[in-house]
Amino acid sequence: MKTFKEFMQESSLSRIKSKSDKGGIATMSADRGNLSRKQNQARAKQLQKDIRGKFGRGPTKLKGSYLENPGSKDERKVKEKSFAIDRGKMGKRKFKKEVKKLGKKYGQDSVLTQTKKTATLHSTRKGGLGPKTKGIGVGKFRAQKKNPEGQSQIKGKVFSYSKKP
């Protein structure tokens, strides 16, 4: 039997897919590769509180991987605790703006938002996605597809965004 906490945390790949199809989602993290595990855990906990405060509901927990500092000599792939945030009844522009603000607050290279059929990776700091890049279209939601540049995982099931089928 599941505990109440486990029951409330229950989410799945199909639920994330349906939320992305209906209104849109964003994926972000507070982790940084240059910080200790303890620091990243504290930042993730605070990000969760910030998300609940701004969007009125908690995020879905994910395991993610991301290519940090792309194109520089410090480029590396990091594993991180990520969160999926659904748009709910918030307007598309306001949703993107709030997600970008949170990304800036936590020093992220970028945040991923999807409010239409395709997703965009938005730079949240200078040089986050390379020189003079504000946003990159990354394609459609792909369930059970891996992507070397970044992907997310929920309950062992992988999803990513790509332009190729």
Side-chain angles (χ1 to χ4, degrees), residues 27-28 99-100 103 108-113 120-124:
T27 308
M28 66 177 305
V99 170
K100 286 181 195 178
Q108 296 300 296
D109 292 340
S110 61
V111 292
L112 186 134
T113 61
T120 306
L121 206 54
H122 301 278
S123 180
T124 55

Side-chain angles (χ1 to χ4, degrees), residues 10-157:
E10 194 169 299
S11 196
S12 65
L13 181 59
S14 60
R15 185 165 169 84
I16 288 179
K17 171 74 172 128
S18 72
K19 284 184 179 186
S20 74
D21 289 345
K22 287 179 186 170
I25 61 169
T27 308
M28 66 177 305
S29 172
D31 289 11
R32 291 298 299 170
N34 60 337
L35 298 176
S36 72
R37 186 171 178 243
K38 199 171 190 176
Q39 288 172 312
N40 280 330
Q41 284 176 335
R43 287 166 57 97
K45 201 171 194 176
Q46 185 58 48
L47 174 59
Q48 226 176 338
K49 288 178 185 175
D50 289 348
I51 290 169
R52 193 173 297 279
K54 283 194 190 270
F55 301 100
R57 63 201 159 283
T60 302
K61 294 177 186 176
L62 307 170
K63 290 179 185 174
S65 64
Y66 181 72
L67 194 60
E68 201 171 81
N69 301 319
S72 72
K73 63 179 181 166
D74 298 335
E75 180 179 295
R76 63 179 166 200
K77 191 164 190 165
V78 293
K79 291 185 178 181
E80 55 192 16
K81 183 185 272 187
S82 301
F83 299 101
I85 310 160
D86 74 291
R87 188 167 68 91
K89 294 180 178 166
M90 189 179 277
K92 290 177 185 179
R93 282 189 182 156
K94 185 172 183 186
F95 177 68
K96 285 180 185 179
K97 189 177 178 182
E98 293 299 326
V99 170
K100 286 181 195 178
K101 266 192 220 173
L102 282 177
K104 249 183 201 154
K105 179 179 178 180
Y106 288 93
Q108 296 300 296
D109 292 340
S110 61
V111 292
L112 186 134
T113 61
Q114 179 196 350
T115 54
K116 296 180 183 172
K117 294 287 181 202
T118 59
T120 306
L121 206 54
H122 301 278
S123 180
T124 55
R125 66 177 185 83
K126 199 170 187 174
L129 292 174
K132 298 181 183 179
T133 306
K134 287 189 175 187
I136 299 171
V138 291
K140 293 183 179 183
F141 185 98
R142 305 281 183 213
Q144 302 291 32
K145 300 279 186 210
K146 294 185 177 185
N147 187 334
E149 293 173 12
Q151 61 194 23
S152 296
Q153 188 177 37
I154 183 166
K155 293 185 179 176
K157 294 181 180 170

